[in-house]
């Protein structure tokens, strides 16, 4: 089933929503609203640390929800004691038990059900009264001797103490899905941001919205569905007036559960508690059908702004149920609650952690939305605001709005990132221990290499892999490593040592040829060693012999990097070189399109000006005076122009090759030169090129002959190298590799869509193969004004290990900075040439599949003409035998390459992993960011051969299987209505949804075919940090930045409802930086940042922020500079004004919301995943 949702018919994106009057909510206060039953979801109560409760006996946990046959339910948001990653029960209508009361049935006043650890009155949403609700900070005491609650037809559970005046009462529709012992009400699932719920019947293939078996519709006349008795823990509490009291007695306090500490509610509980405030008196039940409620509009909590959700639109379509893409659970059990089910204590759930900044969750002492008196709160690092739920006691039962899971109560990426930073950012990560899961890529940490490669070089999807292939198949967790062999290290970390073993070369295993590493076992007094990969015993060469100490370690263990470190380099001998000849230093050839488009845009002049200074910064070995790299220049349109820039010439000479069908290089001597020797000739050439072609009228270009020319030049010079090609248009001129415009949007969502990602002709694949053989890497800078066929032009770049940069509709004033920064970094970065990589593994697993920018001529060797410090190769492993828990599993990645000085080297990275016989150990040691990196690459390769829908469905299915396997084999028993996620995979659904909604798998109408091909190639060689921010962008509230500190403001979640009109935000995804300015931003801030006096004067055309001398301007510019340095590409700055046309583009990156192209919101996708998991389990 596809994750598309029904069409949204609320107000269009970016326009003011109807019914927002200032920040009041007249519709929710006074007038009755049209009948839309609310959803059956409550909130996810994530792992809420901070509740230092006595841990109950092992094995159970209190499950969710309480029975209430017919009474309206007021559900408290309470997170005191629950299974950490629990997304509560989703229940279907009962198959037995009393029928729901008819719509007119009267209900006893004050007849309210509470979750078992109610906090008095922690509400989600706006309390009805306009006066602030008071709440004592401490938990309510249990009242001993109070009458127990009944567990019969009208069984309800109350809170400790009296209910507050403004307890909101939810109808039993809501009790259909409880989430981790609560049901939190929340804003309606805004179509995009906060539009009203959609009123269109679902289209097939989308999340079905109404009556399609995902939940059971209840018409108004049927009354609310009964809730179920979940395995709960009843607590005795004083009855409300007018409530029947059962004679059954329950213990007043169950052993093992202390009363929960005070907390703010999960959801959007609006009012701060006041210390020691008296409880307001009880409130009568909701009005009966037909009654309307008068009263003041519900007041808004004290947030900065963020308009409330508009009233839901009336329902259209055949189905009576709520328009909610939901799930439905098994029939509710009719047995009474079973005492003693308690908090899940299974290893995958994290231990109790400290308070979590930025979480909208409930935990003591951290402020919710609004200030919180009482105990002094920790520094406030919350999302600025969010939309509160409407107050439900103000609406008659038939007119309650639709609800959804509270977005604050489902796992938050921001929260997980913050927790990891605070828990693991301060200590260095020491790699000595096998199978350690490293800190997240978003955490700043130091690495100390003590025998395993740094996570900067290798990250795995799991650090504890199943012992058998059956177990691996059962879990469906892919076993993969994302390897970045030449990764740049921070200055505080040591670069890999270079080991020179002289003419004999590195010591290796005789059988499998693995290189000497810390896991090799020396035996017989050090005369032989046993290979850790294949167990073969090899003689130690005499020059390498060393005695062993009393532990069996060599006495020179710490003097030899290859015995004590995870990463190191060997100097390769001549045997490792092509044709048994040491390589010569590589060359760079700059090939510039001088057709009409390139000249007219000013591009050629810009490139020539930049190259004059850039050539002084070519990469060089550590202490070399100057770079050993030679350079050459070619310009082209329909023909090619080669330049002789020999140092002895007074002026450069041009030679034209017009026979592009049979490409050759017309000169050998003087084409590739040393920059310092030929400096004046090169400068003269770069001055002349823009003048020579200034009046060109030639619009057609060739492309393949340009690559052929570069390849021939490198062949003639007998060296490897890189071509920098600056190209503007589809190569339609008569020549080899000529292309036609085949762009066809009509193919999207058809079986032929895959052809858009495939090259038009096999010509470029063959050319790529020749380039790899020579070590000719191609970097491509594209400047298209229309379709260019990136899928075909990028083939050579992709297979040679090069990079593509794309600047659509290039304009000098806005794109110059980005292009020049990219060019500088691309020319200067560390790169290895003529590279071959092989990954060896210990017995039991082997590398079976590879993803990235490279070429493979056999099944084991990854060949790259060039490999730079930003590229990764992703390797998947499969079992070919059993593994043992004792010995674990080992990987060794060996990269043979030529350095930029022409030195042949081997870089070795070793990593040891644990092996497990228990699935719980696998799930406890996974790394979600790496898993998503692998899944995205797997899917992006899949679109070449399968319809996009098939690829999407396969992704959803695999993730559902991963989570269903966990649920079935690792989680404590609980009702099927709960969605239980492993602690380290709780972000899998949100991140997976981002991959599914990405432009490659679900393009919006504005995404071009070229964009999709470009992104597909880009992602395929991204590292884990890049895919993390690419799929879930970073959103920072700039107005919350502390101008006096160096730190970034705390990030917030990617959803429109987190944005406040009075603030300025920055969003980055590794390719773009958006600065979003709200319409109500203070004039002073606008003046300080943009140098203009009002919102309307801010220009969208800015590509950089003006340099202004004030603290706010300096801080924002320093944040942008800091982010630019972290990314491998220079991000384009885009200024977005709220309600401006560019806002559509910006909202595309608010990935937790529903997307215009039909992508599900995070909440809806979570529900969909839950449904998929339940189908697998049943």
């Amino acid at each position: 089933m596809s994750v598309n949702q029904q069409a949204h018919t609320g107000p269009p994106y970016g326009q003011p929503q109807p019914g927002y009057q200032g920040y009041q909510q007249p519709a929710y206060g006074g007038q009755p609203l049209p009948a839309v039953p609310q959803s059956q979801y409550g909130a996810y109560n994530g792992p809420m640390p901070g509740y230092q409760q006595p841990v109950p006996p092992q094995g159970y946990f209190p499950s969710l929800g309480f029975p209430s046959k017919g009474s309206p339910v007021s559900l408290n948001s309470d997170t005191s004691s629950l299974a950490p990653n629990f997304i509560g029960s989703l229940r279907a209508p009962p198959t037995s038990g009393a029928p729901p009361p008819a719509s007119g049935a009267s209900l006893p006043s004050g007849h309210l059900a509470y979750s078992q650890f109610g906090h008095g009155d922690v509400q989600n949403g706006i309390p009805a009264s306009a006066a602030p609700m008071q709440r004592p900070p401490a938990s309510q005491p249990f009242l001993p001797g109070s009458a127990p609650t009944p567990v019969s037809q009208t069984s309800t559970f109350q809170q400790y103490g009296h209910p507050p005046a403004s307890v909101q009462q939810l109808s039993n529709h809501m009790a259909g899905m409880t989430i981790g012992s609560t049901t939190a009400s929340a804003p309606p699932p805004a179509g995009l941001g906060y539009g009203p719920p959609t009123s269109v019947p679902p289209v097939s293939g989308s999340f079905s919205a109404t009556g399609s078996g995902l939940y059971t519709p209840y018409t108004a006349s049927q009354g609310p569905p009964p809730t179920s008795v979940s395995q709960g823990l009843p607590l005795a509490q004083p009855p409300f007036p007018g409530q029947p009291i059962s004679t059954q007695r329950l213990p007043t306090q169950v052993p093992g559960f202390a009363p929960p500490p005070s907390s703010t509610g999960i959801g959007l509980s609006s009012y701060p508690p006041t210390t020691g405030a008296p409880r307001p008196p009880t409130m009568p039940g909701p009005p009966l059908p037909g009654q309307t409620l008068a009263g003041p509009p519900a007041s808004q909590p004290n947030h900065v702004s963020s308009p409330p959700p508009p009233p839901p639109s009336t329902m259209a379509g055949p189905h009576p149920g709520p328009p909610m893409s939901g799930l439905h659970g098994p029939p509710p059990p009719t047995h009474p609650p079973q005492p003693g089910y308690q908090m899940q204590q299974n290893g995958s759930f994290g231990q109790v952690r400290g308070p979590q900044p930025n979480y909208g969750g409930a935990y003591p002492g951290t402020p919710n939305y609004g200030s919180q008196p009482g105990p002094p709160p920790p520094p406030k690092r919350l999302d600025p605001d969010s939309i509160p739920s409407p107050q439900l006691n103000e609406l008659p039962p038939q007119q309650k709005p639709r609800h959804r899971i509270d977005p604050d109560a489902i796992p938050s990426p921001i929260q997980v990132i913050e927790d990891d930073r605070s828990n693991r950012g301060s200590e260095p990560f020491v790699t000595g221990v096998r199978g350690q899961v490293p800190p997240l890529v978003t955490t700043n940490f130091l690495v100390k290499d003590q025998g395993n490669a740094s996570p900067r070089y290798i990250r795995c999807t799991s650090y504890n892999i199943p012992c058998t292939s059956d177990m691996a198949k059962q879990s469906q967790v892919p076993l993969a490593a994302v390897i970045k062999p030449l990764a740049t290290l921070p200055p505080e970390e040591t670069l890999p040592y270079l080991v020179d073993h002289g003419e004999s070369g590195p010591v290796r295993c005789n059988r499998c040829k693995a290189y000497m590493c810390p896991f090799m076992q020396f035996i017989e007094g050090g005369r032989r060693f046993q290979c850790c990969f294949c167990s073969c015993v090899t003689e130690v060469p005499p020059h390498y012999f060393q005695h062993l100490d009393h532990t069996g370690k060599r006495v020179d263990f710490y003097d030899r990097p290859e015995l004590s470190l995870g990463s190191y380099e060997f100097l390769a001998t001549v045997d490792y070189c092509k044709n048994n000849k040491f390589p010569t230093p590589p060359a760079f050839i700059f090939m510039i399109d001088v057709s009409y488009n390139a000249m007219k845009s000013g591009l050629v002049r810009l490139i020539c000006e930049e190259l004059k200074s850039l050539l002084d910064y070519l990469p060089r070995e550590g202490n070399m005076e100057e770079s050993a790299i030679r350079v050459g220049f070619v310009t082209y349109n329909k023909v090619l122009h080669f330049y002789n820039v020999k140092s002895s010439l007074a002026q450069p000479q041009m030679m034209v090759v017009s026979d592009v069908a049979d490409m050759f290089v017309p000169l050998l001597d003087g084409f590739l030169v040393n920059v310092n020797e030929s400096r004046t000739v090169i400068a003269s050439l770069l001055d002349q090129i823009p003048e020579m072609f200034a009046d060109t009228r030639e619009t057609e270009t060739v492309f393949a002959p340009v690559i052929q020319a570069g390849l021939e030049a490198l062949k003639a010079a007998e060296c490897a190298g890189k071509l920098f090609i600056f190209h503007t248009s589809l190569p339609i001129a008569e020549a080899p590799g000529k292309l036609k415009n085949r762009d066809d949007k009509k193919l999207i969502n058809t079986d032929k869509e895959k052809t858009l990602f495939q090259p038009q002709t096999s010509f470029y694949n063959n050319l790529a193969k020749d380039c790899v053989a020579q070590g000719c890497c191609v970097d491509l800078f594209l400047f298209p004004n229309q379709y260019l066929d990136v899928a075909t032009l990028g083939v050579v770049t992709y297979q040679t290990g090069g990079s593509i940069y794309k600047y659509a509709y290039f304009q000098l004033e806005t794109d110059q900075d980005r292009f020049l920064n990219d060019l500088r970094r691309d020319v200067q970065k560390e790169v290895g040439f003529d590279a071959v990589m092989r990954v060896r593994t210990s017995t039991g697993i082997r590398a079976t599949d590879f993803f990235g920018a490279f070429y493979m001529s056999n099944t084991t060797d990854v060949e790259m003409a060039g490999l730079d410090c930003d590229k990764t190769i992703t390797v998947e492993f499969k079992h070919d035998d059993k593994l043992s828990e004792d010995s674990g599993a080992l990987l060794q990645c060996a990269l043979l390459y030529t350095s930029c000085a022409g030195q042949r080297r081997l870089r070795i990275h070793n990593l040891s992993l644990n092996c497990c016989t228990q699935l719980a150990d696998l799930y406890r040691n996974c790394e979600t960011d790496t898993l998503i990196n692998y899944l995205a690459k797997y899917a992006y390769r899949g679109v070449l051969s399968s319809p996009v829908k098939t690829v999407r469905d396969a992704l959803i299915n695999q993730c559902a299987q991963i989570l269903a396997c966990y649920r079935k084999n690792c989680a404590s028993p609980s009702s099927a209505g709960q969605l239980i996620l492993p602690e380290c995979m709780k972000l899998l659904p949100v991140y997976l949804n981002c991959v599914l909604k990405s432009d490659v798998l679900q393009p919006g109408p504005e995404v071009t075919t070229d964009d999709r091909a470009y992104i597909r190639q880009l992602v395929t060689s991204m590292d884990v940090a890049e895919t993390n921010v690419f799929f879930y962008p970073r959103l920072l509230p700039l107005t919350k930045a502390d101008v006096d500190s160096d730190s970034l403001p705390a990030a917030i979640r990617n959803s429109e409802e987190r944005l406040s009109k009075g603030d300025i935000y920055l969003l980055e995804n590794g390719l773009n930086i958006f600065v979003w300015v709200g319409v109500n931003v203070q004039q002073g801030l606008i003046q300080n940042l943009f140098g203009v006096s009002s919102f309307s004067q801010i220009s969208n055309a800015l590509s950089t922020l003006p340099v202004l001398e004030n603290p706010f301007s300096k801080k924002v510019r320093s944040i942008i500079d800091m982010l630019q340095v972290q990314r491998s590409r220079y991000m384009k700055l885009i200024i977005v004004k709220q309600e401006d046309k560019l806002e559509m583009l910006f909202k595309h990156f608010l990935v937790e919301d529903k997307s215009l192209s039909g992508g599900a919101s995070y909440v809806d996708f979570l529900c969909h995943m839950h449904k998929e998991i339940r189908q697998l389990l049943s």
Side-chain angles (χ1 to χ4, degrees):
M1 175 183 204
S2 133
V3 197
N4 302 343
Q5 292 162 308
Q6 58 215 52
H8 166 65
T9 53
Y13 232 22
Q15 291 180 11
Q17 307 287 334
Y20 289 160
Q21 316 203 325
Y23 301 119
Q24 296 295 351
Q25 288 178 303
Y28 289 138
Q31 309 94 289
L33 294 180
V36 183
Q38 72 271 15
S39 98
Q40 300 163 277
Y41 309 126
Y44 161 94
N45 288 334
M48 288 300 160
Y51 281 112
Q52 308 285 346
Q53 287 163 307
V55 174
Q58 285 291 344
Y60 308 109
F61 63 167
S63 180
L64 318 164
F66 281 93
S68 156
K69 302 259 201 262
S71 51
V73 189
S74 162
L75 293 147
N76 264 13
S77 235
D78 149 40
T79 40
S80 51
S81 211
L82 18 130
N85 292 328
F86 236 59
I87 302 208
S89 23
L90 294 95
R91 303 194 192 291
T95 46
S96 62
S103 96
S106 77
L107 301 163
S109 116
H111 194 127
L112 299 148
Y114 283 85
S115 73
Q116 68 257 47
F117 302 118
H119 285 316
D121 44 303
V122 183
Q123 302 312 329
N124 287 325
I126 312 164
S129 59
M133 184 164 89
Q134 311 290 318
R135 179 176 351 153
S139 62
Q140 300 306 307
F142 288 91
L143 300 179
S146 57
T149 43
V151 190
S152 61
Q153 291 294 23
T154 38
S155 161
T156 50
F157 292 78
Q158 296 82 29
Q159 66 199 58
Y160 329 124
H162 295 295
S166 55
V167 166
Q168 78 185 36
Q169 306 177 353
L170 306 186
S171 83
N172 280 355
H173 290 101
M174 197 57 188
M177 169 175 176
T178 52
I179 292 212
S181 88
T182 48
T183 306
S185 55
L192 296 159
Y194 31 72
T198 120
S199 54
V200 169
V203 200
S204 79
S206 66
F207 273 127
S208 48
T210 40
S212 59
L214 293 180
Y215 65 90
T216 313
Y218 283 88
T219 50
S221 61
Q222 274 178 282
T227 40
S228 68
V229 182
S230 167
Q231 305 158 335
L233 186 75
L235 299 174
Q237 286 135 3
F240 286 156
Q243 182 188 317
I245 294 173
S246 108
T247 50
Q248 168 191 357
R249 288 201 68 86
L250 294 171
T252 310
Q253 184 163 349
V254 177
F257 282 96
S262 75
S263 84
T264 45
I266 265 219
L268 312 163
S269 145
S270 349
Y271 287 94
T274 318
T275 324
R279 289 262 179 184
T282 2
M283 172 170 182
L288 297 177
Q291 270 179 257
T292 51
L293 267 166
S299 57
Q300 191 84 348
N302 42 1
H303 320 146
V304 193
S305 78
S306 182
S313 57
T314 45
M315 294 291 303
H319 305 295
M324 186 65 194
S325 28
L327 317 176
H328 83 144
T334 47
H335 51 77
Q338 301 156 14
Y341 270 57
Q342 76 204 53
M343 183 145 63
Q344 182 141 356
Q345 283 297 321
N346 118 17
S348 346
F349 293 124
Q351 289 70 41
V352 174
R353 287 174 286 177
Q356 314 190 8
N358 294 0
Y359 211 178
Y363 41 94
T366 302
N368 211 9
Y369 303 109
S371 59
Q372 172 160 340
K380 177 162 176 169
R381 303 190 56 188
L382 283 172
D383 307 334
D385 37 346
S386 61
I387 300 171
S389 302
Q391 207 28 39
L392 284 188
N393 11 2
E394 304 170 12
L395 308 174
Q398 266 78 47
Q399 299 187 338
K400 303 212 170 167
R402 164 179 110 164
H403 272 262
R404 62 167 175 178
I405 298 172
D406 173 4
D408 280 316
I410 53 183
S412 158
I414 304 303
Q415 190 50 47
V416 171
I417 288 168
E418 283 292 334
D419 286 351
D420 194 76
R421 276 189 189 138
S422 54
N423 295 336
R424 306 195 64 181
S426 47
E427 295 292 308
F429 177 69
V430 180
T431 72
V433 183
R434 183 174 86 188
Q436 277 184 105
V437 182
L440 297 180
V441 282
T442 43
T443 298
N444 245 334
F445 60 99
L446 268 183
V447 179
K448 288 197 171 155
D449 184 342
Q450 290 191 0
N452 280 296
S454 157
R456 302 190 205 289
Y457 294 123
I458 307 184
R459 276 188 178 264
C460 293
T461 52
S462 179
Y463 286 80
N464 201 333
I465 62 180
C467 283
T468 64
S469 61
D470 291 348
M471 195 171 153
K473 281 193 191 98
Q474 187 186 358
S475 73
Q476 286 287 312
V477 175
L479 305 175
V482 179
I483 306 174
K484 194 176 183 182
L486 298 179
T488 313
L489 299 183
E492 313 82 80
E493 292 176 20
T494 326
L495 290 169
Y497 290 100
L498 181 59
V499 179
D500 183 0
H501 281 316
E503 286 187 12
S504 58
V507 178
R508 304 175 70 176
C509 165
N510 270 346
R511 184 198 289 158
C512 71
K513 300 289 183 243
Y515 294 86
M516 179 54 65
C517 73
F519 312 120
M520 298 287 190
Q521 191 66 45
F522 286 87
I523 52 175
E524 296 176 23
R527 284 186 293 279
R528 305 167 85 188
F529 69 90
Q530 184 169 27
C531 176
C532 51
F533 294 96
C534 70
S535 306
C536 174
V537 174
T538 301
E539 293 284 330
V540 173
H543 70 89
Y544 197 70
F545 174 78
Q546 186 54 270
H547 294 284
L548 309 184
D549 66 10
H550 63 286
T551 64
K553 246 183 198 172
R554 283 174 56 124
V555 294
D556 62 353
F557 176 83
Y558 291 107
D559 305 332
R560 291 196 177 270
E562 72 274 22
L563 298 181
S564 53
L565 299 176
S567 301
Y568 41 88
E569 293 198 310
F570 291 119
L571 203 55
T573 57
V574 76
D575 307 335
Y576 292 87
C577 302
K578 207 178 272 180
N579 308 328
N580 278 5
K581 217 165 76 179
F582 279 114
T584 46
F588 283 1
I589 305 177
F590 297 91
M591 315 185 91
I592 306 167
D593 175 349
V594 289
S595 65
Y596 177 73
N597 278 342
M599 297 304 304
K600 181 188 65 176
S601 64
L603 178 63
V604 174
R605 188 174 297 279
L606 182 68
I607 293 168
C608 292
E609 279 304 311
E610 179 60 29
L611 286 179
K612 285 183 200 169
S613 54
L614 186 53
L615 294 177
D616 289 333
Y617 296 96
L618 298 175
R620 54 183 163 207
E621 283 306 332
N623 48 9
M624 288 171 61
E625 284 296 303
E626 60 175 58
S627 174
I629 291 173
R630 291 165 297 163
V631 297
F633 302 89
V634 172
T635 56
Y636 67 94
N637 38 44
K638 262 166 65 169
V639 297
L640 276 77
H641 322 106
F642 293 79
Y643 297 93
N644 184 344
V645 281
K646 199 172 174 180
S647 54
S648 55
L649 295 173
Q651 283 295 321
Q653 294 171 348
M654 174 162 113
M655 299 183 187
V656 180
V657 176
S658 50
D659 181 9
V660 288
D662 183 19
M663 188 41 67
F664 67 99
V665 178
L667 74 162
L668 281 180
D669 192 26
F671 178 63
L672 293 178
V673 297
N674 174 295
V675 174
N676 279 344
E677 290 170 10
S678 297
R679 183 174 299 278
T680 50
V681 193
I682 291 172
S684 168
L685 169 67
L686 293 172
D687 282 336
Q688 288 175 40
I689 287 174
E691 306 311 323
M692 265 191 291
F693 299 99
D695 302 324
T696 185
R697 285 282 165 266
E698 186 52 75
T699 55
E700 292 188 353
T701 56
V702 295
F703 184 71
V706 182
I707 297 174
Q708 287 171 324
L711 173 59
E712 293 302 323
L714 294 176
K715 270 186 187 163
E718 295 186 338
C719 69
K722 188 184 265 197
L723 313 182
F724 296 83
I725 302 181
F726 305 91
H727 189 78
T728 60
S729 56
L730 190 69
I732 53 171
E734 213 40 69
K738 169 187 171 179
L739 300 178
K740 58 181 192 296
N741 187 337
R742 53 157 185 169
D743 189 15
D744 188 358
K745 281 278 179 83
K746 291 199 284 294
L747 298 181
I748 292 180
N749 293 328
T750 69
D751 284 354
K752 288 193 175 161
E753 184 171 6
K754 57 178 182 256
T755 60
L756 297 175
F757 296 109
Q758 297 164 355
Q760 272 188 48
T761 153
S762 61
F763 182 86
Y764 288 96
N765 295 74
N766 298 327
L767 181 54
K769 186 176 169 183
D770 296 342
C771 286
V772 172
Q774 181 54 41
C776 167
C777 176
V778 179
D779 278 3
L780 191 50
F781 292 80
L782 296 173
F783 305 87
N785 289 332
Q786 56 200 28
Y787 179 69
L788 192 75
D789 203 348
V790 174
T792 306
L793 297 189
V795 166
V796 179
T797 300
Y798 184 64
Q799 294 191 13
T800 58
S803 306
I804 302 186
Y805 299 85
K806 182 164 158 289
Y807 311 88
Y809 307 107
F810 178 81
Q811 286 181 310
L812 220 49
E813 52 282 1
T814 53
D815 297 313
Q816 168 177 342
D817 275 355
R818 181 164 63 113
F819 163 58
L820 293 181
N821 277 288
D822 282 343
L823 177 60
R824 285 168 195 153
R825 191 163 192 280
D826 197 56
V827 167
Q828 294 173 43
K829 68 185 170 188
E830 184 189 354
V831 58
F833 294 95
D834 228 341
V836 183
M837 185 182 103
R838 182 177 281 195
V839 177
R840 292 180 174 84
T841 53
S842 52
T843 313
I845 53 169
R846 61 195 171 88
T848 56
D849 210 350
F850 301 84
F851 303 83
F854 53 75
Y855 174 78
M856 289 187 84
S857 54
N858 58 35
T859 56
T860 53
D861 295 339
V862 173
E863 300 172 48
M864 294 153 289
L867 173 69
D868 64 50
C869 55
D870 299 321
K871 294 281 184 303
T872 62
I873 292 94
T874 302
V875 185
E876 186 181 7
F877 303 97
K878 290 260 164 55
H879 287 76
D880 56 7
D881 204 345
K882 279 202 172 84
L883 293 164
S884 93
E885 282 187 280
D886 299 337
S887 53
L890 302 175
L891 318 177
Q892 183 178 78
C893 161
L895 175 79
L896 175 65
Y897 71 101
T898 302
S899 75
C900 56
Q903 201 176 49
R904 200 71 177 147
R905 294 182 178 180
L906 282 152
R907 180 168 288 201
I908 313 294
H909 297 297
N910 302 288
L911 186 63
S912 59
L913 302 173
N914 286 328
C915 296
C916 57
T917 52
Q918 299 297 318
L919 281 165
D921 292 328
L922 163 69
Y923 283 102
R924 204 177 288 133
N925 292 282
C926 286
E927 230 260 300
T928 301
D929 292 321
T930 311
L931 190 57
I932 287 293
N933 179 286
Y934 164 83
L935 289 171
K937 291 172 180 176
Y938 183 78
Y940 281 17
R941 186 178 66 185
V943 298
L944 289 173
S945 51
S946 309
V948 172
K949 184 179 185 313
T950 312
V951 173
R952 290 163 48 81
D953 291 347
L955 266 186
I956 294 171
N957 184 41
Q958 180 167 9
C959 288
Q961 286 188 321
I962 290 171
L963 297 174
C965 174
Y966 172 79
R967 173 63 191 265
K968 184 175 170 192
N969 300 290
C970 309
S972 301
S974 58
S975 94
Q978 291 154 349
L979 172 54
I980 304 183
L981 301 169
E983 174 63 28
C984 66
M985 279 193 194
K986 62 185 176 191
L987 298 181
L988 186 61
V990 63
Y991 286 162
L992 178 71
N993 190 32
C994 297
V995 174
L996 291 168
K997 286 159 64 162
S998 63
D999 290 338
V1000 173
L1001 298 182
Q1002 194 161 39
E1006 73 296 334
V1007 180
T1008 67
T1009 306
D1010 275 346
D1011 285 334
R1012 296 177 73 196
Y1014 173 61
I1015 295 296
R1016 195 191 78 74
Q1017 294 199 12
L1018 211 55
V1019 168
T1020 307
S1021 47
M1022 275 185 183
D1023 71 11
V1024 180
E1026 288 173 313
T1027 50
N1028 174 277
V1029 78
F1030 179 76
F1031 289 115
Y1032 192 93
R1034 174 149 59 163
L1035 182 58
L1036 305 174
L1038 294 179
T1039 23
K1040 304 275 189 290
D1042 177 359
V1043 292
D1044 301 321
S1045 89
D1046 292 338
S1047 62
L1048 293 172
I1052 60 173
R1053 290 171 65 172
N1054 281 201
S1055 172
E1056 190 172 2
E1057 50 185 60
R1058 309 277 163 179
L1059 304 179
S1060 141
K1061 289 184 175 183
D1063 286 326
I1064 301 174
Y1065 298 87
L1066 179 148
L1067 182 143
E1068 62 128 353
N1069 74 338
L1071 296 182
N1072 298 303
I1073 290 181
F1074 293 91
V1075 173
W1076 183 90
V1077 187
V1079 286
N1080 297 348
V1081 172
Q1082 293 168 9
Q1083 199 175 333
L1085 282 176
I1086 290 176
Q1087 184 69 53
N1088 283 346
L1089 191 56
F1090 299 103
V1092 296
S1093 55
S1094 72
F1095 178 80
S1096 58
Q1097 290 173 298
I1098 299 171
S1099 162
N1100 283 14
L1102 290 175
S1103 59
T1104 50
L1105 290 173
V1107 177
L1108 303 172
E1109 286 304 311
N1110 66 70
F1112 185 58
S1113 173
K1114 283 179 183 164
K1115 176 67 184 176
V1116 172
R1117 284 182 288 113
S1118 81
I1119 288 174
I1120 290 175
D1121 292 344
M1122 196 192 304
L1123 299 180
Q1124 293 285 22
V1125 170
Q1126 290 174 11
R1127 304 292 169 219
S1128 62
R1129 289 166 183 251
Y1130 193 84
M1131 296 180 281
K1132 181 178 185 174
L1133 180 70
I1134 302 171
I1135 308 293
V1136 178
K1137 291 154 72 174
Q1138 188 178 2
E1139 294 167 11
D1140 186 66
K1141 58 182 187 298
L1142 270 174
E1143 204 184 18
M1144 297 281 276
L1145 180 62
F1146 172 74
K1147 285 180 179 174
H1148 177 67
F1149 297 101
L1150 298 177
V1151 290
E1152 287 197 21
D1153 296 338
K1154 189 172 169 179
S1155 72
L1156 274 179
S1157 52
S1161 69
Y1162 174 18
V1163 168
D1164 290 342
F1165 183 69
L1166 201 57
C1167 296
H1168 180 66
M1169 281 303 285
H1170 190 181
K1171 175 171 158 286
E1172 294 282 323
I1173 290 165
R1174 293 181 54 173
Q1175 281 178 346
L1176 289 170
L1177 291 175
S1178 58

